[in-house]
Amino acid sequence: MKFSKKIFLLFIFSSCGYKAPPPGKPDFENPKIKVINLKDKDTIRDTIKISLEVEDNSKIKWVKMIVDGKEFIIDTIPPFEFKLSPPQKKINILFQAMDKWENIGSSKTFEIFGPFIDTVKVDTLKKKKK
């Protein structure tokens, strides 16, 4: 009797933490991220709301915005939207999404500039140095 209880407990503990795939083939595809209202090399003058469309066969756990290599905001509830204020300098933004099978997809990197006045000053300084 004691031996069968040990085997049963061993079976229970060995199955803990195992994430079984759904019937059939599990999802191996990375989520695909489409950024709706932001373009590479955009100049931001006012606070904007960035909207994303994330496509995947599985449920999306989170979507995050990474600014200059640092995690900035995480959103877990669709629709996935992020607010961005005008930056004081040039920044690089990347979006990542993870599905329930821990597949991570990334968008392209967006180079974003602050108000136009800052861009003019930078260009003028570059021309003077030449």
Side-chain angles (χ1 to χ4, degrees), residues 94-122:
L94 174 75
F95 297 96
Q96 287 185 333
M98 184 171 82
D99 65 13
K100 74 176 186 175
W101 299 104
E102 298 180 359
N103 299 315
I104 297 178
S106 297
S107 70
K108 68 177 187 170
T109 301
F110 294 87
E111 192 174 57
I112 304 299
F113 298 95
F116 182 72
I117 297 168
D118 293 343
T119 308
V120 170
K121 287 180 184 177
V122 170

Side-chain angles (χ1 to χ4, degrees), residues 52-67:
L52 306 176
E53 285 181 5
V54 182
E55 295 178 12
D56 195 64
N57 294 331
S58 302
K59 182 180 178 197
I60 300 297
K61 275 183 154 178
W62 51 255
V63 177
K64 64 182 167 182
M65 182 167 77
I66 299 170
V67 178

Side-chain angles (χ1 to χ4, degrees), residues 4-18:
S4 63
K5 285 184 181 179
K6 288 181 183 178
I7 290 176
F8 178 72
L9 288 175
L10 181 64
F11 174 74
I12 294 295
F13 288 127
S14 67
S15 64
C16 290
Y18 175 70

Side-chain angles (χ1 to χ4, degrees), residues 1-2 12 14 24 29 33 47 107 113:
M1 190 74 154
K2 290 181 182 179
I12 294 295
S14 67
E29 296 293 319
I33 301 171
T47 301
S107 70
F113 298 95

